Amino acid sequence: MATKKVRKKVGLALGSGGIRGLAHVGVIRSLLDNNIPIDYIAGCSIGAWVAAHYALYNDLEKLSEFTVGKKQEKLRSFLEISLEGGLIKGKKLETLLDDWLDHKTFADIKTPLKVNAVDVLTGREIIFDSGSLGHAVRTSMSIPGIFRPIKENGMMLVDGGICNPVPDNIVREMGADVVISVNLDDFRSEKPYAESDMSITGITARMIEIMRHYLALNSLQSSDVIIMPPVAKYSNWREYFWNNAGEDIARVGVETTEKLIPTIRNLIAS
């Protein structure tokens, strides 16, 4: 009697990267259009937002509507000034995320999901796989200095990108045979740094770009396929809110992924 062939399980790790994370929507679109399954998904920061939405609904058009679209709702959620721990309190953002995720929990998702954060007090990575989806995503997105940290259970939690910006190891541990990772931190894809820019803000921003780049590379040890959309030029949310860059970023995600579809198919079939 012939043995039934078991399909390899595919995991997707969506990295941090602020506005550049809209490329994740394009990556998912390309995978689904090419019949590449997503059996497990993990996300960090903006990657957690996209991952949670997809894991809950498995609806590509809804994902695009609520991540690439709805700019005014997002902007209003950012208008909540904080005087402690960050510029933005984040309560409005969590309420918005909770509404968009239909007040659901990890128990309601269709695709197994995990998202990460970091405890500032101990330096430990904290992985969310239960409880409120909106709260987990808000916590994973708590960019230090921008959003107020989340204080709970004796911890002070911030953006998971501080320690593990592309959580490919988490996807592997979930059971994925083939791990596809999306890394948004490649400063080399943008124009060279100008020697003339000796301002404190210019040099500081450049140092952060370089550190994020090498931290992300160190975070890709469990990946079989690494998708690196050239989105380094999209560095802040102004380009999204005022220059309508969202669809452009998502399109770059599609175009970059399409080039790797044959490689992904070979890995699944091998």
Side-chain angles (χ1 to χ4, degrees):
M1 183 177 179
T3 302
K4 184 178 180 180
K5 187 174 181 179
V6 179
R7 177 180 64 79
K8 288 186 175 180
K9 298 293 185 179
V10 178
L12 181 62
L14 303 181
S16 64
I19 184 58
R20 291 170 290 183
L22 298 182
H24 293 320
V25 179
V27 170
I28 293 174
R29 180 177 295 279
S30 176
L31 293 176
L32 297 181
D33 285 349
N34 286 280
N35 298 313
I36 304 297
I38 301 173
D39 299 297
Y40 306 98
I41 190 166
C44 176
S45 196
I46 187 67
W49 183 340
V50 176
H53 202 286
Y54 177 76
L56 177 63
Y57 297 113
N58 279 190
D59 185 327
L60 185 58
E61 298 313 314
K62 192 169 187 175
L63 173 67
S64 181
E65 176 188 357
F66 280 79
T67 51
V68 179
K70 295 189 178 293
K71 292 192 290 185
Q72 294 304 314
E73 293 91 330
K74 295 188 187 81
L75 182 59
R76 284 195 293 268
S77 75
F78 291 166
L79 301 177
E80 187 183 25
I81 302 302
S82 170
L83 299 176
E84 179 187 18
L87 298 175
I88 303 171
K89 291 181 181 179
K91 291 183 178 179
K92 286 185 178 181
L93 176 61
E94 183 167 337
T95 298
L96 181 69
L97 290 168
D98 209 27
D99 286 343
W100 285 357
L101 294 168
D102 202 23
H103 306 281
K104 298 296 187 181
T105 71
F106 280 82
D108 301 304
I109 58 178
K110 297 178 180 178
T111 301
L113 164 75
K114 292 188 179 184
V115 305
N116 66 345
V118 177
D119 177 16
V120 172
L121 302 181
T122 64
R124 292 187 302 116
E125 180 179 27
I126 305 299
I127 299 174
F128 286 86
D129 57 7
S130 63
S132 164
L133 288 171
H135 178 68
V137 172
R138 151 69 174 106
T139 304
S140 185
M141 292 178 62
S142 299
I143 304 169
I146 303 298
F147 290 100
R148 179 187 291 177
I150 297 288
K151 297 180 181 180
E152 62 179 50
N153 300 325
M155 298 182 292
M156 185 179 293
L157 302 174
V158 298
D159 193 316
I162 299 302
C163 74
N164 190 9
V166 190
D168 63 346
N169 61 313
I170 295 176
V171 176
R172 181 73 74 188
E173 291 163 6
M174 292 171 74
D177 301 304
V178 176
V179 176
I180 303 169
S181 297
V182 187
N183 175 20
L184 304 174
D185 284 304
D186 184 9
F187 72 92
R188 299 169 304 179
S189 66
E190 186 50 26
K191 63 182 180 181
Y193 178 71
E195 292 184 22
S196 58
D197 189 356
M198 293 295 290
S199 67
I200 294 175
T201 55
I203 291 177
T204 300
R206 181 61 169 178
M207 294 307 101
I208 291 173
E209 288 176 353
I210 294 172
M211 287 189 290
R212 286 181 59 91
H213 171 77
Y214 286 106
L215 179 59
L217 290 183
N218 189 59
S219 190
L220 290 164
Q221 303 303 309
S222 296
S223 302
D224 296 301
V225 178
I226 301 171
I227 300 171
M228 298 180 68
V231 289
K233 68 179 181 179
Y234 301 102
S235 59
N236 60 64
W237 284 89
R238 287 194 303 272
E239 292 155 24
Y240 169 73
F241 288 121
W242 285 281
N243 297 336
N244 202 30
E247 292 185 1
D248 292 337
I249 299 171
R251 183 166 52 252
V252 172
V254 171
E255 294 169 351
T256 308
T257 306
E258 287 292 322
K259 299 173 184 178
L260 292 167
I261 292 299
T263 300
I264 295 170
R265 283 181 172 149
N266 288 336
L267 283 168
I268 295 173
S270 64

